[in-house]
Amino acid sequence: MENLKLNENKFINAEKSALVLIDLQNGITAMGVSTSPYTSEEVIQNASKLVNAFSEKGAFIVLVRVSTMDGKDMVKPKTDLKATGMKYSEGWDNLIPEIATTKNAHIVTKRQWGAFYGTDLDLQLRRRGIDTIVLGGVSTNIGVDTTAREAYQHGYNQIFVEDAMTAVTKEEHDYVCKYIFPRIGKIRTTKEIVSSLK
């Protein structure tokens, strides 16, 4: 894939780029869990700006959600840190209303943290000639980070929208943004992305 030219040319080619938003769904953004450094509302507001900008340019938009048929299709390895209990209430896996009606968005349903394993995400991106992923969502250090590492291993250029993602704690968000994302892509703000999308 071509090297990302955002620094040199100051633009993102909408024809070769896809907006990928992770787990912006009812059961995650409305769980009542406080997030940092951005609130769920701030992330949703910035994600909506990105969706509008990418839609206006006719760029490919992927909305990723986590869902389960019966709970048995989810990963359940033994770990030291107990996973927070996900409540599978009615509509928990529905995309948030602010982005749910995005025209021509491709919906990816995953059964684990990352959006590539066991889905058609890579296939859909490659068939469209996309070489750059603009990534945001919840949470920075889980769904976004895992998807970013998978995308890196698939050879995609990546731009991480730092203010369109958040985590349970500021420390978790900051660690990934400081030590992981700069090694596998570029970090920008929503405003920078919107203004450089051509």
Side-chain angles (χ1 to χ4, degrees), residues 42-99:
E42 289 171 314
V43 170
I44 291 168
Q45 184 179 53
N46 287 330
S48 297
K49 290 177 185 175
L50 293 165
V51 166
N52 290 337
F54 274 72
S55 293
E56 285 174 13
K57 299 293 183 188
F60 191 49
I61 298 172
V62 180
L63 305 176
V64 180
R65 68 182 192 136
V66 61
S67 186
T68 180
M69 290 172 38
D70 54 11
K72 295 178 181 177
D73 53 358
M74 305 291 270
V75 294
K76 297 179 276 301
K78 293 180 176 150
T79 61
D80 283 334
L81 186 61
K82 189 176 188 292
T84 56
M86 180 69 74
K87 295 185 175 82
Y88 305 131
S89 56
E90 184 68 31
W92 75 276
D93 57 354
N94 291 343
L95 294 165
I96 56 170
E98 292 85 350
I99 63 170

Side-chain angles (χ1 to χ4, degrees), residues 40 57 84 124 129 149 183:
S40 291
K57 299 293 183 188
T84 56
Q124 295 297 334
R149 292 174 192 240
R183 293 179 174 172

Side-chain angles (χ1 to χ4, degrees), residues 30-42:
M31 283 175 60
V33 176
S34 61
T35 58
S36 186
Y38 305 103
T39 65
S40 291
E41 291 76 20
E42 289 171 314

